[in-house]
Each structure stands twice: as C-alpha cells, then as structure tokens.
Amino acid sequence: MWKEYSSGYIKNNRAASLSVRLSAFIAALLLSLLCGLFYNAWKYEVERIRQEEGDWQSRLIGELTGEDIGLIENYANVKDVVISDKGNDGVEPVLDIYFDDMTSVFADTPRIAELVGIPPEKIVYHYQLLAMYLIRDASDPSPRLLFPMFILVTVMASLSLVIIIHNAFAVSMNARIHQFGIFSSIGATPKQIRSCLLQEAAALCAVPLIVGNLLGTVCSIGLLHMVNMLLGSGIEGRHKAVFGYSPWIFALTWFVTVMTIGISAWLPARKLSRMTPLTAIKNTDELQLKRRKNSHLLALLFGVEGELAGNALKAQRKALRTASLSLIFSFMAFTIMQCFFALSGISTRETYFERYQDVWDVMVTIKDAEVDDFGLTEAIQGLDGVESAIVYQKATAKRLITEEEMSEDMKAFGGFSQAPGQFVTQVDGGWLVNAPLIILDDNSFYAYCRQIGITPRPDGAVVFNQIRDVTNPDFRHPTFMPYIKTQSRGEDAVSVLRRSGNEANMAKVAVLSYTEEVPVLREAYAKLDYYELVHFIPASLWKEMKGQIGGMEEDSYLCVLGGENATLEELDRLQDEIGRLLGGEYAIESENRIREYELNSKQIQGSEAIFGGFCILLAVIGVGNVLSNALGFVRQRKREFVRYMSVGLTPKELRKMFCIEALVIAGRPILITLPLAVMAVGFMLRMSYLEVEVFMAEAPLLPVILFMLAIVASVALAYYLAWRNIRKISLAEVLRDDTMM
Amino acid sequence: MEILKCEGVRKVYGSGGNQVMALDGIDFSVNKGEFVAVMGASGSGKSTLLHIIGSVDKPTGGKVTVDGTDISGLNQTQAAIFRRRKVGLIYQFYNLIPTLTVRKNILLPLALDKKKPNQEYFEKVIRSLGIAEKLEALPNQLSGGQQQRVAIARSLIYRPALLLADEPTGNLDQKNSKEIIDMLKLAGRNLEQTILLITHDEKVALEAERIITVEDGRIISDERRR
C-alpha cells in the first residue's frame, strides 16, 4: 500500500519531484567527481612516493648476516626483504622490509630489529608512504595532512550538500503534510510515515544517483585527462597520471552519496513523521507571516500587487532560502571569477608575455654547465632561423656601497633606511648589498657593449645603475633613479665584488660603464631585492675571477631569439634542433615562448571551465529549487490565490504579482552581486595597479550578462509554468476543497 | 460492557496569561454498542474531547480508557497503533487520500498492519454503505455524500472498538445527512459498533440513543433517550 501510494504520487507529480531528482543528481555528480579525483590524487601521490623513494615500509640499517636475513624473511607478517643500495647514502648496508599487513609495521619492525640485534635508532619507517594508508605513529613529527584533508573535504562537501539539498526534499514532503496527517489519524506510526517518505526518496533518487555517479566518474576521467594535457609537459619531473578506479572507491563513493542524499531526505521526513495528526491535518500549508512586514519598495513601485508579492516572498523565505543562496553565490562566484581571470590575464600579459615577447623565443636551461667552458654557442648562433643566441650564467656576489657612492636621488628617498636586513647589511664604511653577476658569453657581451654605446672590452663589467623608488608601491608604474653617483663614474672606476657568505674573498673588476639599459634576456632585475646592484661581465673575465668569488653557480642558460613573427612550428623545429645539438653533451630543459603562452592560456581556460562548471552547478541547484518551489506552491498557495480572486483580483493582476515575484527572485542575486563585484574589482584593481580603462576594455561583460540572462530566463520559465497551473484554479472548487477542516 | 471511560479529563491550551481551558473535568462512560451524540456550540470543547478520545491529542489531566486501555500515557507510535486498531475516525471533510482509489482508501488501516481484508466483511461494509460500484474511483470523482460513506467504510474496516464521528454531516445537504446518519445507526446495529458522534445540530443529535451536552468544556447534561 505504501508502495502504491508513493508510486501513485511519484507518477502523478513528476514536476514536483523534479527538484528532488535534480538535487540528488547534482549531489551524486559532485561527490562522485570529488571521490574519483581524490582517489586519483591519492594514487598519483602513492605512485610518486614509490617511484622516488621506493615502496618499502620499514628499513633496518646495519650489518646483517645471511642467517639474520633468513630469520626476517621467515617472520610471520613479512612478505619480502630487499637489500637496498639506495638508502643511507651507501654508508651502511640497508635492508628494506615489506609486510603482508602494513598496519602492524610499527609493532613488528622493533621486534624484528631486536631479533637480529639492530638497535631501535637504526630503524627507519617510510612515514610518507604509510601515512597515505592512514598508518601513523607518534614518532613521526610531520603532520602529513593529505589523506586526512581528502577525508575532511569530502565530509565537508557532503555536509554542505545536505544543507543545500535537504530543502528540496522538505518542499516536496511538506506539500503533503495534510495527507500524512490523515495517514497518522488512521493509525500510521511515525516510523511508517518516515519509511514511506524515505522509500519515496529512494525511488525518486535511484536513477539520478546512478546517472550522477557514473557521470561524476566520467568527469573525473575527463578532468584527469585535462590535467595531464595541461601539466603533462609543463612541470619537470611530473609523471603522467593514469586514471584508476577500485572496488573500494566505488563502494566509498556510493556510501558517501547514499548517506548524503539519505540524510537530506531523512531530516524533513523525521520532522514530518513526528508531527501529531492534529497538527498535520489542521496544517493548511498556507504560508504565513510570523509578524507584520511591509514591502514598501515593491508597493511603491508596483502598487498593491507589489505589496502582495513582497509579502508572499517573505512568507516563502524559508522555502526559497536554498534557491536564493544558490543563485546569489553562483552569480557572485561566476562574476568575481570572470573579473579575476580577466584581471589576471591582463596582468600576466602585461608583466610577462608583452614584456618578454621580443626578448626570447626558446629558453634552454643547461644543467651543470659553466658558461666559460661552453663551446656550442657559435653552433647554435649558426642554426637556421636563429637571430641571436645568448649563453649566460648567474652568480651571486656582494658589494659594499659607501655613503659617498650613493646617488642624490637615492639619498632623497632615505638611502638604505628602508632596506630589509635580509638583503642589505650595514657594515663599517657602508652597506653590503647583493651584486648579482650575469655572465654573458664573450660575443654577446661585446654586442651588449655596442648596444649601450661603449667600446667592447673583455676585462671589465657593465653595472646596471638603476634603483626603484621604494616609497612608490605601484609596481606597474615604478619610478627609477640612479643608484651610484654620477661623479663616481669614470674610465678607471672599479667595483670590488665579494664572495657571498665569505666577504673576505674579493675580486676587483673594472667598470666599463654604468648604464640603465640591460641586455636582451628573459630576466627581471631587482624584483625581490630592490637594492641589488647587477653586474654584467664577459665569460672570459669570469674565468679569471671565479676562483676568488665563484663556486656556487649551477646551471647556464641559453636565450634564443628566432626570426621576426616566428610561428609555433618554426619554434618547435628550432627547439628540437637545439635539443639535438645540446642533448648529447648536456642535460637540458627547454621552453618555447608560443607553447608557453598556449599552456598558460590552456591553464586559465581549464581553471575557468572548472570554476565556471561549479558555478553553473550551483545555479542549477538554485533554479531547480525555484522550479520545484514554483510548481509546488500551486497547491500550497491555492487558498491564498482564491482569497485574492474572491476579493476581486483579476487574472491580469495575479499575473502581475507573479511577474514581480519572479523579478525579485531573479533580480536579488544581481542586485546583491553587482555592487559587491564592483567593490571586489575595485580592490583587485587597486592591488594590481591596473587602470580602470584597461580593465573595462576587456571586462567580461558578455559572459556575466549571459549568465545573468540565463538565471532570469530560468526563473521566468519556472514562474510561467506555475502560472499555467494557477490559471486553471477554479474558485468554487477550491472553496469546496476537501482539506478544509 | 464499558468501552469508553473518561475520568476528570482536562485540556488546557496555551500558557501563562494566554491559557484557554478547553475541557474542565469531563467524566462519563459509554457502553459497547451505544450510539452517543456529544452536542455543543462552536468552541464548547466537543471536538477537543473527540480528539483526546481518538488519541489524536493528549489530555492535560485526567484519564481516558478505551476498551480497557488507558490512552492518556501512550507515546506517538502506541497512539498511532491504537488509532489504527481501536478507533475509527470520521471527519466533516472526509479526509480521504486523493491519490488513492476508494478501495485502497478503505483498506488503508489494514494495509498499515500488512493485513489482508476479510473479504466477506469488506463486501458487507461496502454494500451496506452503497459504494460497491465506486471502488475503483478516485475521491474527487465522488459526491460529498459518497466520499463520506467511503470515510465511514474506512473507519469500520478494522472493526474498531469505537467509532468517532466529528460533524460527519456538516458538509452535506439534508438528504445526504439523513442517509449518513442512517448508515451510522445501521452500522451500530448490524456490526455492534459503539458510536460517538460530535455535532452542533440538534436534529442530528436527536437520532442518537444518548445525548451529552458540553458547554465551556464541561458536561452540562447527559440524557438517555431510549
């Protein structure tokens, strides 16, 4: 009978249960997506740890005889032992132990160690790997929060979904309070009513749950594929993530989704089943205002219909809460996200791509190579399609700046008074500042000398004599001034460079020129440390002085500029040729400007797609809720409408009231979001020192307007469908309503 | 045999200064097979009394015993099972489930107990109420009088100890009212049902064997007519 009652209700009230189905589908989709992604993130991390550090669980360090190893191998829980040469840097022999049951690793390993006479301090546990299986020990000092974080986020997502979707169930169930009151009055127990409602919820949600779960898994495959595509070659050392699924994750996903939807249905079902039959039967379902409220603005704008609509919306506040919150959050998140991406795009383009567009096409990091020993510069410069190729290395050094050396402009903004201690140290006679060395291959250095208008010489340095006004925080429009005094410049000027960390070691370098012009390299100077004094020197000079101040340099760099308007194919070909030329002799990593730009664009598009998708899902919940509410209130508000009709409200006026309600529901997210978005964008513009006109020229008006229109259209459609039902209400019929007691 | 006994039943709604005494020390008993009418003006407390006897509401004080069971202290589940098996409730507005057919509406109390109906008894009830031809109809396809007959059939299907009718004719015309009362009387006679009828209509009350008059929550007269 319960089945018959529920199936009859479900069959005849498809629209009313739409929101329940939709909510269940979205909850299943999101949770399944989350579980799939987390499982794969976990799997990826386990694979990475195994690849990088091995998959042993504990390790004994020290000499072990064959007999000892036999004893360990025969230990009950030990699956395997491997003598490793990787651990302990080859100082002492190491034995890796693998257990059948990993959970007892912290109990079994000390026993095994004792058995073979290894002291406890010579036991090493693979804490990182064990933590991935939630096997923890108090002796591990690291927090290792990845797995607990996955669990926490899943639980939080589940609880948030319960808060969001339980209202959809409540609206559907509350529409029949009176009927359940009748059930109760003829002897249905609270448990029976609860079971009936939960069975009904199960019947309604079964298909959306299956479809949502499947689609969530498909989405997680797609997302993983997208991550591989975006990051596959973008991050050095990253291995490709291969999608995986296990029966455990299948069971967990189902458990989480069923629990989330179950709790969402159980909350209103419990409330309804606990109602006394008298309360339930007498429940008129009519929306009431708890206290007198006036809708002044709506009354002023739309007259009495506005006031009626305003009061009706206030009375429905609870039922519409999910819808309002979902719509507000989705629109706000979407708008702010779009603005943020637009701003971030402009900023990246201006500060990176546009600034470095003409200075490089292919960048190569040549591992462990010394610029003064590098012999392939000319071969690269001779490659077809290469306009210029600069090989350079970076070294660190220190330089003392005296009070007299400081330029007047610098003194005017306080000299080193605002310099942070980590970069500038005050010593006897002046201030010790960082003096980064950019060591260019000789030919490139000569070309640079010609570029700044001095005679090329291999025995001196060019000093980048420019400092930013630190009192002006606008990083987009900085003001620069000379660092060293003009009077100090001269033919015989010298710069005394000191070794970083051991300033007693010094090298004296002739200064060929002080300049404000830098060589064409993809390098930013004085970005973090505004007080650094950059020196450009030729490789041959570095060869002579590196014994005094060098020693900590690692890699060299190759900055290649191709022909004008080089295409991606040309740069790819150039990158391959350089790779072939250097690959035999050096370990290299190379980048390609156009590919880098495309990768960046893809990453932004990917992030936009993911965040946008979440916003749309949120909006779907909101619209679904509006739809279910609008269709559900036809019965609930029947008496209210009849009362209006009986006092003479015409269908046209009723329709106007409806339009006002729809307008408020759809307009509220817009009215709340727009000022907040303007404030957020204003704040972001201030922080990024971008001009309003620059942002406005690229403001994401179209997507925001489309999203806004989609919300308005969906709400309008929901109210139109409800209006079609309201139109059919017969005054006489409702006055004879069998539920009126 | 005493089927219903009320001893000092009190019901107070609200609290503090807003207290309303709906019932104030109701004492009476009803024997098996009796047809009793409880009469009173609107707001006199007669519906509250019916709700308490039907375990739909709880008394603030006093004791109500139905067929040997003290129902004043039943919890929600016990009260529901009691309603299902011991009392049949008939309302002025029928309270039928609009999405269930007449047959399913009538058999609902049995279905709640996962019991199959006694076909012979079922036939007897529907025939005596004249709704045998309407079993597959939905409530909204019936007239008010027919809907009330279905409600009576539903209340009788479990052979309850007590039939409680709250203004069963309040929504019907004179002809239908007469028919419903006749049917209740017939059910009382043929099925040996005890009936407690709540009404404000003196004419309807006069059809009962005994009339209890309630005013301001108190019994002011208890008159046996035959």
Side-chain angles (χ1 to χ4, degrees):
Chain A
M1 182 57 74
W2 287 110
K3 216 162 72 185
E4 282 163 356
Y5 168 73
S6 295
S7 65
Y9 169 75
I10 292 168
K11 219 178 284 173
N12 296 318
N13 294 276
R14 285 187 195 281
S17 55
L18 184 73
S19 155
V20 169
R21 290 173 205 259
L22 196 69
S23 302
F25 168 74
I26 289 168
L29 175 76
L30 285 177
L31 289 170
S32 161
L33 174 66
L34 208 62
C35 289
L37 283 180
F38 280 174
Y39 172 70
N40 278 283
W42 174 86
K43 181 176 155 283
Y44 180 85
E45 191 59 12
V46 170
E47 282 168 5
R48 187 193 63 77
I49 295 168
R50 284 188 168 149
Q51 256 180 30
E52 288 175 9
E53 294 168 32
D55 57 351
W56 50 276
Q57 287 119 36
S58 67
R59 166 176 273 185
L60 300 180
I61 301 168
E63 289 291 345
L64 290 168
T65 64
E67 199 184 331
D68 290 337
I69 294 171
L71 266 175
I72 299 170
E73 277 174 333
N74 290 326
Y75 194 87
N77 189 26
V78 171
K79 189 165 79 179
D80 199 10
V81 292
V82 174
I83 299 166
S84 170
D85 55 347
K86 286 180 186 164
N88 205 28
D89 297 329
V91 179
E92 279 180 283
V94 163
L95 187 79
D96 292 345
I97 309 176
Y98 299 80
F99 290 90
D100 282 319
D101 174 14
M102 265 196 272
T103 54
S104 61
V105 61
F106 294 112
D108 283 339
T109 313
R111 286 190 203 123
I112 292 169
E114 201 183 344
L115 202 68
V116 294
I118 296 281
E121 63 272 15
K122 294 284 185 182
I123 300 173
V124 177
Y125 294 104
H126 201 333
Y127 289 125
Q128 209 184 352
L129 181 67
L130 293 169
M132 295 307 288
Y133 295 91
L134 280 186
I135 304 167
R136 298 301 315 272
D137 187 67
S139 57
D140 178 13
S142 305
R144 307 197 194 281
L145 293 174
L146 190 69
F147 201 157
M149 191 199 75
F150 285 168
I151 296 173
L152 186 75
V153 172
T154 310
V155 171
M156 294 296 289
S158 165
L159 288 177
S160 315
L161 283 166
V162 167
I163 293 168
I164 293 172
I165 66 176
H166 90 276
N167 202 44
F169 285 95
V171 168
S172 154
M173 290 174 184
N174 289 345
R176 286 171 297 146
I177 287 182
H178 180 80
Q179 286 182 26
F180 284 104
I182 300 171
F183 276 133
S184 183
S185 74
I186 57 167
T189 62
K191 196 178 159 195
Q192 282 177 314
I193 292 174
R194 212 162 41 238
S195 329
C196 170
L197 288 167
L198 290 177
Q199 278 171 25
E200 214 173 276
L204 282 173
C205 298
V207 175
L209 198 92
I210 295 168
V211 177
N213 261 331
L214 287 175
L215 208 66
T217 309
V218 172
C219 286
S220 61
I221 297 175
L223 219 59
L224 205 72
H225 182 68
M226 198 154 100
V227 169
N228 271 333
M229 239 168 57
L230 296 179
L231 303 178
S233 56
I235 294 175
E236 186 56 29
R238 180 186 178 275
H239 74 271
K240 191 180 172 191
V242 179
F243 183 80
Y245 211 68
S246 86
W248 284 107
I249 197 66
F250 177 79
L252 181 78
T253 306
W254 274 88
F255 175 75
V256 174
T257 45
V258 169
M259 281 301 283
T260 304
I261 295 167
I263 293 171
S264 306
W266 180 78
L267 287 173
R270 179 169 165 267
K271 195 176 160 199
L272 205 147
S273 70
R274 282 180 155 189
M275 240 178 213
T276 66
L278 199 59
T279 324
I281 292 176
K282 280 190 172 170
N283 180 62
T284 58
D285 289 356
E286 206 166 346
L287 299 161
Q288 307 280 351
L289 281 177
K290 283 193 178 142
R291 57 199 160 86
R292 196 170 72 91
K293 281 181 181 168
N294 295 320
S295 308
H296 294 301
L297 186 65
L298 289 176
L300 193 74
L301 291 172
F302 305 106
V304 68
E305 294 92 342
E307 178 149 20
L308 291 174
N311 288 345
L313 283 170
K314 278 170 190 152
Q316 292 175 81
R317 184 175 283 174
K318 207 172 166 189
L320 285 171
R321 193 180 293 155
T322 308
S324 297
L325 288 178
S326 311
L327 289 178
I328 289 170
F329 283 135
S330 65
F331 187 56
M332 195 183 293
F334 185 81
T335 308
I336 292 177
M337 176 201 80
Q338 285 290 333
C339 293
F340 173 77
F341 278 116
L343 266 169
S344 151
I346 297 170
S347 187
T348 314
R349 200 184 59 224
E350 283 191 358
T351 55
Y352 183 75
F353 289 109
E354 277 177 8
R355 188 171 292 181
Y356 297 113
Q357 193 148 329
D358 302 328
V359 301
W360 74 288
D361 280 325
V362 176
M363 251 332 263
V364 185
T365 305
I366 311 160
K367 300 278 182 186
D368 301 320
E370 295 290 335
V371 65
D372 47 308
D373 284 342
F374 187 74
L376 293 167
T377 315
E378 282 177 12
I380 292 164
Q381 283 166 342
L383 283 175
D384 189 28
V386 173
E387 196 181 290
S388 81
I390 304 175
V391 181
Y392 66 100
Q393 194 170 15
K394 290 185 269 190
T396 56
K398 294 273 183 188
R399 189 191 189 282
L400 187 77
I401 307 279
T402 60
E403 177 89 40
E404 296 75 48
E405 276 183 301
M406 249 190 276
S407 71
E408 291 305 321
D409 292 317
M410 190 181 166
K411 277 183 189 164
F413 73 68
F416 291 106
S417 60
Q418 296 187 56
Q422 69 201 90
F423 299 131
V424 177
T425 323
Q426 189 162 16
V427 290
D428 283 344
W431 291 267
L432 209 53
V433 301
N434 288 316
L437 303 178
I438 307 290
I439 310 142
L440 306 172
D441 70 88
D442 285 355
N443 284 338
S444 303
F445 182 76
Y446 297 152
Y448 173 49
C449 288
R450 282 191 289 276
Q451 177 195 328
I452 60 173
I454 60 165
T455 316
R457 267 170 54 189
D459 58 344
V462 174
V463 177
F464 181 45
N465 187 29
Q466 184 176 279
I467 190 161
R468 189 183 141 184
D469 178 0
V470 292
T471 55
N472 172 16
D474 182 353
F475 63 88
R476 210 171 289 280
H477 309 99
T479 40
F480 293 105
M481 54 193 68
Y483 198 153
I484 308 280
K485 249 184 199 166
T486 323
Q487 291 92 305
S488 308
R489 299 177 185 186
E491 271 295 308
D492 53 355
V494 287
S495 192
V496 180
L497 298 169
R498 297 157 193 255
R499 188 189 177 116
S500 282
N502 185 3
E503 282 80 23
N505 286 6
M506 292 182 275
K508 202 181 268 186
V509 182
V511 176
L512 304 181
S513 173
Y514 291 94
T515 180
E516 284 161 14
E517 211 175 314
V518 291
V520 185
L521 295 177
R522 195 188 70 172
E523 291 293 338
Y525 309 101
K527 269 282 166 201
L528 195 63
D529 171 11
Y530 297 156
Y531 297 89
E532 63 183 24
L533 189 64
V534 183
H535 287 59
F536 297 98
I537 59 169
S540 49
L541 177 63
W542 175 244
K543 196 166 194 164
E544 289 166 24
M545 60 190 274
K546 75 174 176 186
Q548 292 143 283
I549 60 167
M552 288 189 289
E553 310 67 43
E554 286 177 351
D555 306 332
S556 287
Y557 304 92
L558 171 64
C559 179
V560 179
L561 196 61
E564 212 170 311
N565 302 325
T567 61
L568 177 63
E569 291 72 31
E570 284 168 339
L571 293 190
D572 277 343
R573 186 189 50 76
L574 197 58
Q575 195 179 4
D576 287 346
E577 278 183 36
I578 293 169
R580 264 197 301 277
L581 204 62
L582 299 180
E585 226 172 305
Y586 300 97
I588 60 162
E589 279 169 21
S590 67
E591 300 163 73
N592 166 330
R593 183 179 51 81
I594 300 180
R595 214 160 265 292
E596 186 88 341
Y597 185 79
E598 284 185 350
L599 179 72
N600 181 67
S601 307
K602 266 193 207 168
Q603 281 171 341
I604 291 175
Q605 280 164 8
S607 315
E608 273 184 308
I610 294 167
F611 285 116
F614 277 111
C615 293
I616 290 169
L617 276 179
L618 212 56
V620 167
I621 294 179
V623 168
N625 210 268
V626 174
L627 190 67
S628 119
N629 194 57
L631 295 173
F633 70 39
V634 175
R635 184 191 173 281
Q636 201 176 27
R637 297 176 67 185
K638 220 184 243 182
R639 277 192 206 99
E640 180 193 339
F641 296 131
V642 163
R643 215 165 285 141
Y644 297 145
M645 289 183 207
S646 64
V647 294
L649 216 68
T650 63
K652 197 179 159 194
E653 285 157 340
L654 261 181
R655 195 172 60 220
K656 183 179 169 190
M657 196 184 131
F658 250 59
C659 290
I660 298 165
E661 279 189 35
L663 191 72
V664 172
I665 290 175
R668 195 184 289 145
I670 297 163
L671 285 177
I672 292 177
T673 297
L674 287 181
L676 282 174
V678 168
M679 279 196 284
V681 168
F683 177 73
M684 288 192 272
L685 283 172
R686 234 182 101 191
M687 294 310 286
S688 59
Y689 295 97
L690 255 179
E691 287 83 10
V692 179
E693 311 83 68
V694 176
F695 172 73
M696 283 314 290
E698 294 179 42
L701 295 177
L702 188 67
V704 170
I705 289 172
L706 284 178
F707 198 88
M708 195 165 81
L709 286 178
I711 289 181
V712 172
S714 311
V715 174
L717 176 72
Y719 268 78
Y720 170 72
L721 294 175
W723 167 248
R724 280 201 330 181
N725 291 337
I726 291 286
R727 264 192 325 193
K728 293 175 197 155
I729 291 180
S730 144
L731 192 61
E733 203 176 284
V734 178
L735 291 174
R736 281 204 318 266
D737 188 349
D738 69 348
T739 62
M740 285 202 178
M741 283 196 60
Chain B
M1 186 198 168
E2 210 171 61
I3 209 91
L4 165 69
K5 189 168 187 186
C6 294
E7 296 167 272
V9 176
R10 286 174 61 246
K11 179 71 189 179
V12 181
Y13 289 112
S15 57
N18 295 326
Q19 275 197 353
V20 176
M21 180 74 80
L23 295 177
D24 186 9
I26 298 283
D27 290 292
F28 75 100
S29 61
V30 176
N31 287 325
K32 187 168 168 59
E34 260 192 292
F35 182 5
V36 182
V38 177
M39 221 181 82
S42 175
S44 60
K46 55 186 192 306
S47 285
T48 306
L49 180 63
L50 177 123
H51 288 142
I52 288 172
I53 296 169
S55 80
V56 167
D57 205 353
K58 283 192 171 194
T60 313
K63 189 176 168 187
V64 180
T65 313
V66 177
D67 203 16
T69 308
D70 177 7
I71 62 165
S72 336
L74 297 181
N75 65 26
Q76 256 192 316
T77 303
Q78 289 165 334
I81 294 170
F82 168 81
R83 280 195 298 276
R84 186 191 307 166
R85 296 175 185 167
K86 296 286 182 186
V87 295
L89 279 160
I90 304 164
Y91 295 96
Q92 180 180 355
F93 289 103
Y94 336 125
N95 281 338
L96 300 174
I97 304 291
T99 55
L100 295 181
T101 60
V102 165
R103 180 195 295 278
K104 285 174 185 169
N105 261 295
I106 296 171
L107 295 176
L108 199 54
L110 289 171
L112 291 171
D113 256 349
K114 298 185 178 65
K115 280 189 179 171
K116 286 216 159 31
N118 175 331
Q119 204 53 42
E120 199 185 326
Y121 178 69
F122 176 69
E123 293 288 335
K124 192 174 169 185
V125 170
I126 55 164
R127 258 200 303 274
S128 63
L129 289 166
I131 48 173
E133 308 301 314
K134 302 284 180 188
L135 289 180
E136 300 312 319
L138 285 169
N140 63 5
Q141 294 165 326
L142 305 180
S143 69
Q146 285 169 328
Q147 286 191 53
Q148 194 59 295
R149 288 171 205 215
V150 177
I152 294 172
R154 185 179 65 187
S155 68
L156 288 170
I157 199 70
Y158 222 115
R159 297 191 202 222
L162 190 59
L163 205 66
L164 298 172
D166 188 1
E167 304 272 14
T169 58
N171 196 35
L172 300 174
D173 58 28
Q174 229 173 6
K175 181 175 166 277
N176 271 308
S177 296
K178 173 95 179 59
E179 275 179 22
I180 291 296
I181 295 300
D182 287 347
M183 268 165 205
L184 283 175
K185 282 163 78 176
L186 194 72
R189 235 182 357 253
N190 293 353
L191 307 170
E192 288 183 77
Q193 274 304 151
T194 312
I195 302 168
L196 194 69
L197 173 85
I198 301 280
T199 184
H200 67 277
D201 186 341
E202 200 178 343
K203 211 167 143 191
V204 173
L206 285 171
E207 298 284 338
E209 298 163 1
R210 180 179 160 197
I211 301 173
I212 297 173
T213 310
V214 181
E215 199 179 292
D216 294 334
R218 291 168 190 219
I219 295 177
I220 55 161
S221 76
D222 186 347
E223 180 194 343
R224 250 170 236 283
R225 298 190 58 249
R226 60 188 91 126

